[in-house]
Amino acid sequence: MKTLFKAALLGAAATAVFAVTPALAADGVCLITKNNTNPFFVKMKEGAEAKAKELGLEFQAFAGKVDGDAGPQIEAIENCVASGAKGILITASNDSVIPALKEARGKGLLVIALDTPIGDAEAADSTFATDNFEAGVLIGKWAKAQMGDAAKDAKIGMLNINKDNISVDVLRDTGFLTGFGIEVPNGKVMGSETDPRVIGHETSNANPEGGLKAVENLLAKEPNMNLIYTINEPAAEGAFQAMKAAGKEAQALIVSVDGGCPGVQNVKAGVIGATSMQFPLLMASKGVEAVAAFAKDGSKPKNSEGLTFFNTGVQLITDKPVDGLPSITSEEGLKICWG
């Protein structure tokens, strides 16, 4: 059984902690991520810290404990405000951070959402993110093309973060369904579709353990499940483990979003059929640049043309390309993963 995520997760746990350190200098920046174990957030911290050092900003990193737990993030926001930081970069666990972020903005801090848009436009000055809907569309289109005529009778399991309708969760979920050709009546929540091909939506907590349990639950509903959408690659790893334990690893295509190096390795190994690569290091480094510019002259970042956020790009990774859908191989992806 493949265990490609184990080393990355252990390394992440050793390098990121939730703690309060001495007050920042006037030109400081705080990074607040959802947790300190997901390699995606470790890479984000790496990019932010390197750029802050390059630009001469004091840097501080905070993390929640698990996806969906906003308490530590709210405490971190308050600490950043008290320290005199110029800006906050945050991947919000959920929208309960909104009052604290509004207060931070009211006290003169620049607030930039990374990866996960905030549910209230007044809570952040800008969002630096993947087009998460497009990331979902790409893997949905890929899966439909791979299945061919069998797509009309697909049995699809959906592995989300949780039931909170977090923006990144909703966008990837609904994007995938749209790309696959399934009507989504309400694009603001998960589960509004009525297409019988969707078996159900399960909570994965965006980690391998949750992915394993979610697929066990879905297999109990439909033993012939043949397509699994996963919110991220750690959940995809757990999904594969569950399918293999059931002797069904060859039965279902697994698709995902993130494009981390371990995830791309899993594409190469055949665990994941296709994934949409994000660029968290770029998100974070561009966010720090924006805080530096704000500290210098009060300027604020602009959105990408035609969008409501700054788009840091997305790339489909697969070793089974389909006509009309641009992609790169896992070997090519390993050269740029999470850059």
Side-chain angles (χ1 to χ4, degrees):
M1 185 182 301
K2 301 292 182 181
T3 55
L4 297 175
F5 282 97
K6 187 177 294 182
L9 291 174
L10 290 174
T15 56
V17 296
F18 175 71
V20 180
T21 59
L24 302 179
D27 289 351
V29 57
C30 291
L31 173 69
I32 305 171
T33 53
K34 293 180 182 179
N35 61 57
N36 62 9
T37 56
N38 190 324
F40 183 87
F41 300 128
V42 176
K43 181 60 68 171
M44 190 173 277
K45 178 175 180 286
E46 179 185 320
E49 189 168 21
K51 183 59 68 173
K53 182 177 180 180
E54 175 189 329
L55 298 177
L57 294 177
E58 293 291 334
F59 175 75
Q60 176 67 309
F62 300 86
K65 295 180 180 179
V66 295
D67 278 78
D69 178 18
Q73 292 196 320
I74 293 170
E75 182 179 350
I77 294 166
E78 293 168 350
N79 285 323
C80 291
V81 172
S83 73
K86 288 291 187 180
I88 293 173
L89 313 176
I90 183 169
T91 61
S93 284
N94 57 50
D95 284 345
S96 62
V97 300
I98 287 174
L101 290 177
K102 284 184 173 181
E103 183 175 349
R105 289 192 69 209
K107 293 185 177 180
L109 279 74
L110 183 75
V111 174
I112 295 178
L114 299 180
D115 181 53
T116 304
I118 307 295
D120 185 334
E122 296 300 314
D125 293 279
S126 185
T127 299
F128 285 25
T130 305
D131 186 334
N132 281 294
F133 184 81
E134 177 62 16
V137 167
L138 289 174
I139 55 175
K141 287 183 175 180
W142 180 87
K144 183 179 182 180
Q146 281 294 317
M147 295 188 78
D149 291 341
K152 68 180 184 300
D153 298 312
K155 295 175 175 59
I156 307 169
M158 305 290 292
L159 271 59
N160 305 117
I161 299 174
N162 53 36
K163 306 297 185 183
D164 292 344
N165 283 307
I166 300 166
S167 57
V168 66
D169 215 3
V170 174
L171 289 167
R172 294 181 189 181
D173 173 300
T174 58
F176 164 78
L177 293 172
T178 300
F180 196 79
I182 291 175
E183 183 180 358
V184 179
N186 186 348
K188 295 182 178 180
V189 298
M190 297 177 295
S192 70
E193 72 283 346
T194 58
D195 195 302
R197 289 177 289 180
V198 179
I199 300 165
H201 296 251
E202 289 286 334
T203 291
S204 73
N205 291 317
N207 62 45
E209 297 78 13
L212 188 151
K213 182 63 177 176
V215 166
E216 289 177 341
N217 291 341
L218 288 165
L219 282 174
K221 296 178 183 178
E222 176 49 75
N224 295 316
M225 177 171 60
N226 57 8
L227 176 58
I228 305 171
Y229 155 85
T230 61
I231 178 66
N232 68 355
E233 290 152 4
E237 168 69 9
F240 177 79
Q241 291 175 9
M243 294 298 289
K244 186 169 185 179
K248 298 174 181 286
E249 66 269 31
Q251 175 175 292
L253 287 176
I254 300 176
V255 295
S256 198
V257 178
D258 263 358
C261 296
V264 177
Q265 287 281 9
N266 266 345
V267 172
K268 185 176 182 179
V271 171
I272 298 171
T275 192
S276 289
M277 178 180 284
Q278 304 186 89
F279 300 95
L281 190 150
L282 181 64
M283 288 180 207
S285 61
K286 287 293 185 184
V288 171
E289 288 179 356
V291 173
F294 177 74
K296 181 179 180 181
D297 57 23
S299 60
K300 295 186 177 182
K302 296 181 180 180
N303 294 328
S304 298
E305 186 175 354
L307 298 174
T308 58
F309 60 96
F310 183 93
N311 187 3
T312 53
V314 62
Q315 175 66 61
L316 183 66
I317 311 291
T318 184
D319 289 330
K320 298 178 179 179
V322 298
D323 291 340
L325 195 61
S327 65
I328 62 174
T329 66
S330 60
E331 285 291 341
E332 294 170 309
L334 287 170
K335 297 175 182 178
I336 62 170
C337 46
W338 279 354

